[in-house]
Amino acid sequence: MTHSKRRWSPSLAAIVLACFATQAAAQESGAPAETENPGTTDIIVTAQKRSESVNSVPLSITAVSGGDLRAQGVTDVAGLAKVTPGFNAIDSGFGTPVYFLRGIGFFDSSLAAKPTVTVYTDEVPIPYSVMTAGASFDLERVEVLKGPQGTLFGSNATGGAINYIAAKPTWSPEAGLALSYGRFNRFSAEGYASGPLSETLAARISLRHEGGGDWQKSYTRDASLGQRAFTQGRLQLAWRPVDTVRVNLMINANQDHGDTQAPQLVTPFQQSAGFFDPRLVAYPTAPASNRAADWGGSFALKKDNWQVQAALRGEVDLSDDITLTSISAYSRFKEAYGQESDGTALRLTDVFLEGDIKAFSQELRLAGSLMGDGSWIVGGNYEWGKTHELLTQRLDDQSSAHVFDRFGFPSIELVPQLGDTRYRSIAAFADVSVPIVDTLTLIGGIRYTDTKVDFAGCTLNAGNGTYARGFELIFGLPSGTIPLGGCVTFNDAGQPALFEGSLPEDNISWRGVLQWKPSGGQLFYASVSRGYKSGSFATLAGNRFSQYTPVRQEQVTAYEIGFKSALLDRRVQLNGALFYYDYLDKQLKGRTIVPVFGPLEALVNVPKSRIKGAELQLMVTPIDGLRANFGATYIDSKVTRSFTNYSAFGAVTDFDGYRFPYTPKWQLNADLEYRWAVGGAKQAFLGANYSYRSLTYGDFRPDARLSIDDYGLLDLRGGIGDADGKWTASLYAQYVTDEYYWHTAARRGDAVIRFAGMPATYDVNMSFKFR
């Protein structure tokens, strides 16, 4: 689609990149360390599992306080794209979000899909991306760490790690309440209470509910979709029996009964030869509107999801220099919902998903100081996970459902696909920071990880008589060989069977960093690191065992040089980095040839590829009350070795030289805010946030049908409140230009679809704090 208006040109983006970028770091609610001079304020982060100023860490980090996240309308992981250049979040179309950092991501819709960007809460892993819905809640700050984080955070963080730091129990009573109401009858109510229960025990309880009406509208009939009904809570206990012992218990829970989003139909595409539903040929494609969509009635498009996580963190100071830390966590997640996947009222790819996850993790580590400003960490980690997924597709009207028409059978109706996965990881790690001279420090880390993935899955006989009898004829099997509920997936001998596989792997992640601090406020670094994403199986509609062949672990070796510089009496913070990622065995949901059906989905490894790019970050406080953040990332991705597979439309293609999908070359962010006194005891503010993404595609092979056009999003905010933060009243407008944009483009059977972004929304907000 061609837009009539342009927001940014590549040449203008280049000028901005050469001048500015954002280190989205503002004063956090938990009393950060401040410089003695007026100007920018450093956030204290724990990116290297020790407390230090964000601008003293030789690593590219975006750190944002909980207050600034709320002010800028960031209420979920996907919203981090507003404040983090290089970060993208897309909808896989089957409920599992996919996160990218600097072009590194893994597009797989399976419940058990391990990410390349892992999300944590207080260093506790959220091991599967589908479990991250409630992560942005009651926060001190968030830290987005870019580049492989395998040594300290483990596997599946090749693109980076997102660590949410929860607001902690306080040792004096306080409470807070925040209310909002806006367009589409959207509302939220959030509150917390915190304080001591005794001299050694403090507690904090937080609750939030989000509700609202439909925002999507059918363009073929009078129907709407998009209700929001999400509730979450957190209980924390902090126990301090003596000065040297600290124990924190955190229990998180959430429940989601909202609607799933329907996609938009871009164009029909005949997947299989023979039958092609004439109604689809004549079906109107979606108009250029964020609200427009269409959906069928095979399944209720409403979620019945819930999640509980309990985490226990204990710290014991064994001496003045040595601390023992233990972090234990158990999570349980369940989901059940219908998902429209073809953007029509026809039964092309209507889906119902049922899933269950159980996960446990345990980390034990020792940390201490070394040679004055040096430090060391040594520890071990164990993770275990079990997933169950049953995905049922209704395909009555799809061309592939009629492959047995020539045998006189009715079309395929229901295609259930089963996948059970067990994941186990054992790791040992060490990290050390050694001052060489006063201004020069050498940092090194290493981690050995042993993983094993066990998988069992197949496509099931749903009892409509087509799948089972058709393949019995093809393989010369007696009628009734495949029972109701039995597997309709065939092994190499042509026998229906449950696929069972195991993938044991191990790897060694490492990093080396040379850090130079020539003077106060100046830091230069050069680093090289290596990280791994574990191999995996996919839950899919497999007709042959070959479709379940797992992908082996992928490896990223990252080279980066960068600087962090405080200028002009610390009123300016300028950070920058150049990076190069050498990518081996990138995991990809590609295709493999299956007799009768042709190319069907399967996981594959891209043998060799690379990413190179640049990032600049700037935070300026030119005068008291005015803060300006600017940011940009440039990414050049490419497959660098011959790799032949199938495009999204079944064309045999050598992908050598092609760019990565869902990886825009340019990403720009800007945030401005001005605060001034009103009547002495009050403070008013005005702010704006802008983010831009350049053109990219939903496939390696560029195709206009899968283009994700460039877009820029503008948010505005303003309000007034007590100068001490006791109360605030504000107005917030998101996507005020109401521009038509979309973040996901894909082919689903006979339909090419896209998931559009939200239209313009407006909210009135009130917040109160009591102490």
Side-chain angles (χ1 to χ4, degrees):
M1 175 170 293
T2 301
H3 292 314
S4 61
K5 59 179 186 266
R6 302 288 297 180
R7 281 78 51 197
W8 292 80
S9 67
S11 58
L12 180 57
I15 295 172
V16 174
L17 177 62
C19 300
F20 301 113
T22 184
Q23 182 66 36
Q27 182 170 342
E28 60 178 302
S29 59
E34 297 186 13
T35 62
E36 294 182 358
N37 299 312
T40 62
T41 300
D42 280 347
I43 284 185
I44 300 302
V45 298
T46 54
Q48 300 187 109
K49 299 201 172 179
R50 56 181 177 268
S51 296
E52 52 195 332
S53 163
V54 65
N55 290 313
S56 297
V57 180
L59 172 70
S60 181
I61 305 174
T62 294
V64 190
S65 73
D68 276 359
L69 289 173
R70 288 191 298 273
Q72 296 177 44
V74 179
T75 58
D76 54 21
V77 179
L80 291 175
K82 292 184 179 183
V83 297
T84 309
F87 177 76
N88 271 328
I90 64 171
D91 190 332
S92 69
F94 293 93
T96 299
V98 182
Y99 304 130
F100 290 79
L101 261 174
R102 290 178 170 177
I104 295 184
F106 176 49
F107 190 106
D108 185 10
S109 57
S110 300
L111 185 76
K114 286 288 189 178
T116 58
V117 180
T118 297
V119 178
Y120 299 79
T121 299
D122 286 344
E123 300 178 15
V124 174
I126 302 176
Y128 302 96
S129 297
V130 73
M131 302 171 70
T132 60
S136 299
F137 172 56
D138 193 27
L139 301 174
E140 282 187 9
R141 66 183 183 278
V142 64
E143 303 171 10
V144 182
L145 288 57
K146 302 174 185 178
Q149 304 299 320
T151 56
L152 290 176
F153 285 87
S155 297
N156 309 317
T158 46
I162 300 172
N163 190 24
Y164 285 99
I165 310 300
K168 301 299 186 293
T170 56
W171 294 95
S172 59
E174 66 175 63
L177 177 65
L179 304 171
S180 73
Y181 179 80
R183 190 183 183 193
F184 308 120
N185 290 322
R186 296 240 162 169
F187 67 92
S188 68
E190 180 176 353
Y192 75 91
S194 178
L197 302 179
S198 70
E199 292 184 355
T200 60
L201 185 65
R204 183 183 185 100
I205 185 169
S206 312
L207 296 170
R208 178 179 174 85
H209 177 76
E210 298 178 19
D214 296 338
W215 66 274
Q216 289 193 290
K217 297 173 65 176
S218 170
Y219 59 90
T220 65
R221 64 194 190 280
D222 184 15
S224 60
L225 184 70
Q227 290 189 19
R228 177 77 168 160
F230 187 82
T231 305
Q232 64 184 129
R234 176 182 293 150
L235 172 65
Q236 294 184 80
L237 297 174
W239 184 45
R240 304 292 185 267
V242 293
D243 291 342
T244 58
V245 175
R246 298 170 295 280
V247 179
N248 283 70
L249 173 66
M250 179 168 61
I251 300 175
N252 296 293
N254 64 64
Q255 176 181 273
D256 191 351
H257 287 164
D259 292 347
T260 57
Q261 182 177 345
Q264 300 179 326
L265 176 66
V266 177
T267 186
F269 172 80
Q270 186 171 358
Q271 177 179 243
S272 300
F275 172 84
F276 192 49
D277 197 317
R279 295 174 299 169
L280 178 59
V281 177
Y283 208 93
T285 57
S289 167
N290 296 71
R291 299 189 64 183
D294 215 359
W295 55 93
S298 298
F299 306 109
L301 306 182
K302 187 171 290 293
K303 301 175 187 176
D304 184 10
N305 299 357
W306 62 264
Q307 178 177 333
V308 175
Q309 183 189 67
L312 181 66
R313 182 188 183 108
E315 295 178 311
V316 180
D317 296 331
L318 303 179
S319 70
D320 290 342
D321 296 325
I322 300 176
T323 299
L324 174 66
T325 301
S326 172
I327 304 175
S328 310
Y330 176 79
S331 304
R332 181 74 188 274
F333 171 85
K334 294 201 74 172
E335 67 175 11
Y337 57 89
Q339 174 68 60
E340 171 63 45
S341 294
D342 56 69
T344 75
L346 305 178
R347 292 173 173 175
L348 298 173
T349 315
D350 296 350
V351 178
F352 190 81
L353 300 99
E354 299 171 87
D356 188 357
I357 297 176
K358 299 174 184 177
F360 172 79
S361 65
Q362 171 65 57
E363 179 165 305
L364 191 66
R365 67 176 186 255
L366 282 169
S369 59
L370 179 69
M371 300 172 59
D373 293 334
S375 62
W376 59 268
I377 299 174
V378 62
N381 181 276
Y382 174 80
E383 290 187 40
W384 172 86
K386 179 181 178 182
T387 68
H388 168 76
E389 183 173 12
L390 179 62
L391 187 153
T392 301
Q393 298 188 68
R394 183 139 203 174
L395 310 174
D396 312 32
D397 302 326
Q398 191 177 132
S399 61
S400 62
H402 294 263
V403 294
F404 294 124
D405 283 1
R406 62 184 180 276
F407 297 112
F409 292 108
S411 64
I412 298 169
E413 297 174 0
L414 297 178
V415 181
Q417 51 202 61
L418 171 71
D420 290 324
T421 302
R422 291 177 182 268
Y423 175 85
R424 186 268 299 154
S425 171
I426 301 173
F429 61 91
D431 195 87
V432 64
S433 174
V434 180
I436 301 174
V437 295
D438 288 346
T439 59
L440 198 64
T441 301
L442 181 64
I443 302 170
I446 191 168
R447 186 185 192 102
Y448 173 77
T449 304
D450 179 271
T451 63
K452 186 181 181 185
V453 183
D454 295 311
F455 175 81
C458 71
T459 302
L460 300 175
N461 175 16
N464 55 33
T466 302
Y467 234 13
R469 186 58 191 141
F471 281 105
E472 285 171 348
L473 287 173
I474 289 175
F475 288 102
L477 301 174
S479 177
T481 300
I482 304 173
L484 180 65
C487 289
V488 196
T489 302
F490 292 82
N491 59 23
D492 295 338
Q495 296 295 319
L498 176 73
F499 175 88
E500 295 180 283
S502 184
L503 181 64
E505 295 179 308
D506 65 350
N507 60 68
I508 297 177
S509 300
W510 48 264
R511 72 164 180 159
V513 184
L514 188 62
Q515 171 186 289
W516 180 42
K517 293 183 177 181
S519 60
Q522 307 300 315
L523 181 150
F524 299 86
Y525 66 91
S527 69
V528 58
S529 58
R530 176 170 292 174
Y532 292 85
K533 180 197 175 298
S534 60
S536 63
F537 298 82
T539 299
L540 41 76
N543 179 252
R544 298 291 195 276
F545 273 21
S546 60
Q547 287 180 260
Y548 291 105
T549 301
V551 283
R552 57 188 173 273
Q553 62 188 355
E554 64 180 32
Q555 172 190 297
V556 175
T557 305
Y559 306 87
E560 183 167 334
I561 56 174
F563 68 90
K564 298 184 177 184
S565 183
L567 306 169
L568 302 179
D569 200 24
R570 296 186 182 272
R571 287 192 177 273
V572 174
Q573 180 69 43
L574 178 65
N575 302 339
L578 298 173
F579 53 89
Y580 182 93
Y581 294 164
D582 187 13
Y583 217 150
L584 294 179
D585 293 326
K586 174 179 172 62
Q587 296 174 6
L588 170 71
K589 180 169 273 190
R591 287 165 177 80
T592 187
I593 287 292
V594 174
V596 179
F597 292 99
L600 294 182
E601 286 187 338
L603 292 178
V604 296
N605 288 105
V606 180
K608 189 159 177 59
S609 52
R610 61 98 176 122
I611 295 172
K612 60 182 179 181
E615 185 174 82
L616 285 174
Q617 310 171 337
L618 175 72
M619 184 173 71
V620 183
T621 308
I623 59 175
D624 292 346
L626 177 62
R627 186 189 66 196
N629 299 319
F630 302 93
T633 299
Y634 171 78
I635 298 172
D636 178 16
S637 61
K638 183 183 291 187
V639 177
T640 57
R641 184 179 296 173
S642 179
F643 168 68
T644 300
N645 202 259
Y646 299 87
S647 74
F649 299 100
V652 177
T653 304
D654 186 343
F655 292 103
D656 187 10
Y658 284 109
R659 291 165 46 189
F660 291 1
Y662 297 106
T663 307
K665 279 193 172 184
W666 294 97
Q667 294 181 246
L668 309 175
N669 295 71
D671 190 81
L672 303 174
E673 184 174 277
Y674 180 59
R675 292 179 174 267
W676 69 97
V678 178
K682 302 182 189 65
Q683 190 178 70
F685 66 91
L686 291 173
N689 180 280
Y690 183 81
S691 59
Y692 168 82
R693 304 291 182 269
S694 64
L695 171 73
T696 187
Y697 294 90
D699 192 20
F700 273 101
R701 181 172 176 169
D703 190 302
R705 291 169 290 183
L706 296 180
S707 71
I708 302 171
D709 289 1
D710 65 314
Y711 62 88
L713 304 176
L714 176 65
D715 300 347
L716 300 175
R717 61 186 185 269
I720 190 171
D722 181 81
D724 294 330
K726 294 179 180 179
W727 64 270
T728 302
S730 63
L731 296 173
Y732 185 73
Q734 295 189 84
Y735 323 129
V736 294
T737 60
D738 210 17
E739 178 184 353
Y740 174 51
Y741 70 100
W742 59 96
H743 47 71
T744 306
R747 181 180 69 80
R748 295 284 183 259
D750 287 344
V752 180
I753 56 94
R754 61 175 58 139
F755 281 89
M758 283 287 293
T761 60
Y762 312 95
D763 302 281
V764 178
N765 307 282
M766 293 290 296
S767 65
F768 306 89
K769 288 186 178 180
F770 311 95
R771 293 181 179 175

